[in-house]
Amino acid sequence: AQKVTQAQTEISVVEKEDVTLDCVYETRDTTYYLFWYKQPPSGELVFLIRRNSFDEQNEISGRYSWNFQKSTSSFNFTITASQVVDSAVYFCALSGANTGNQFYFGTGTSLTVIP
Amino acid sequence: GAGVSQSPSNKVTEKGKDVELRCDPISGHTALYWYRQSLGQGLEFLIYFQGNSAPDKSGLPSDRFSAERTGGSVSTLTIQRTQQEDSAVYLCASSLVVRATDTQYFGPGTRLTVL
């Protein structure tokens, strides 16, 4: 089965703290792709990153970093030195090469950064 | 266009009425997807189009839901005899082709409220 679990429903942090958003996935595909999207209060989903299952290198982009571990089927997202503008709902998603190109989204983690 | 556009942005209707939601994808994108996001829920995949063809309609919640795409561009999602449980934000996304590696770019959504 294809499934994405984001166990953290809501997280609140104080500005400048680091925060990690968890994502655990299940898939029967050997080739698959993982995504993170941000949904700010305005509502429009914004693409953040895509990783494929063959590349387990961690990715860093500014204050954002992603830790992909196949051994634990996790693709966690860390925001360093959080800012108020980071407040949003963050979705992790999975797409498999053999699952008709459907995207499977987690239920999202609502992050609130308190000034 | 510059991004995916959807109309209307908000729709309030009475139970039992039919509604049509429109999606205009990014120019040149052959793949188009419809999702539903209910309050406090993740994204629920409804249907995707490759060109004008929708090979998999199994995600549509009931036979009251239908979608079409003509000319490989604009798509319309129609909900007949709306029910209160249809109230949600309906999101449209497009990508270059239907492929797991392709990033989906989302529109702002249509918020549907069924009274």
Side-chain angles (χ1 to χ4, degrees):
Chain A
Q2 310 286 100
K3 185 179 178 182
V4 175
T5 301
Q6 294 180 257
Q8 304 151 307
T9 306
E10 295 181 359
I11 300 177
S12 291
V13 297
V14 176
E15 199 171 21
K16 298 184 183 177
E17 287 184 347
D18 299 347
V19 58
T20 296
L21 311 181
D22 298 334
C23 173
V24 175
Y25 62 91
E26 295 176 31
T27 180
R28 57 178 178 269
D29 288 328
T30 54
T31 300
Y32 54 90
Y33 306 88
L34 297 162
F35 301 77
W36 275 95
Y37 287 85
K38 174 181 180 180
Q39 188 175 38
S42 61
E44 195 159 337
L45 276 160
V46 176
F47 164 79
L48 295 178
I49 190 171
R50 176 184 68 239
R51 298 311 302 273
N52 71 55
S53 52
F54 295 107
D55 184 2
E56 286 193 70
Q57 272 195 329
N58 291 332
E59 180 96 11
I60 297 175
S61 176
R63 296 184 297 106
Y64 295 170
S65 62
W66 291 268
N67 183 1
F68 175 29
Q69 292 195 342
K70 289 181 77 170
S71 60
T72 55
S73 297
S74 65
F75 186 44
N76 296 338
F77 174 29
T78 297
I79 302 174
T80 303
S82 59
Q83 300 177 2
V84 173
V85 294
D86 296 327
S87 296
V89 180
Y90 291 85
F91 290 95
C92 181
L94 165 71
S95 182
N98 298 317
T99 53
N101 298 295
Q102 291 190 22
F103 272 47
Y104 297 85
F105 283 81
T107 51
T109 297
S110 177
L111 173 66
T112 301
V113 180
I114 303 166
Chain B
V4 178
S5 61
Q6 293 185 247
S7 61
S9 54
N10 279 285
K11 176 72 176 178
V12 180
T13 190
E14 294 179 347
K15 179 181 172 181
K17 295 283 179 68
D18 297 351
V19 295
E20 281 190 357
L21 313 180
R22 175 189 168 108
C23 172
D24 201 341
I26 292 173
S27 178
H29 281 192
T30 63
L32 187 148
Y33 306 78
W34 283 99
Y35 295 86
R36 178 169 70 175
Q37 185 175 26
S38 303
L39 186 63
Q41 300 296 311
L43 287 163
E44 176 187 4
F45 170 80
L46 298 179
I47 192 170
Y48 77 88
F49 289 88
Q50 174 59 58
N52 293 333
S53 172
D56 182 2
K57 299 181 180 179
S58 61
L60 295 174
S62 76
D63 58 9
R64 296 185 294 104
F65 286 71
S66 62
E68 65 175 16
R69 189 181 186 195
T70 56
S73 182
V74 173
S75 176
T76 302
L77 177 68
T78 300
I79 308 173
Q80 295 178 311
R81 305 181 302 282
T82 52
Q83 304 293 313
Q84 287 182 335
E85 61 261 29
D86 298 334
S87 296
V89 175
Y90 290 82
L91 291 165
C92 176
S94 72
S95 63
L96 276 171
V97 293
V98 174
R99 189 170 55 199
T101 53
D102 274 4
T103 300
Q104 297 183 7
Y105 295 89
F106 284 79
T110 293
R111 181 175 298 279
L112 175 65
T113 303
V114 182
L115 302 176

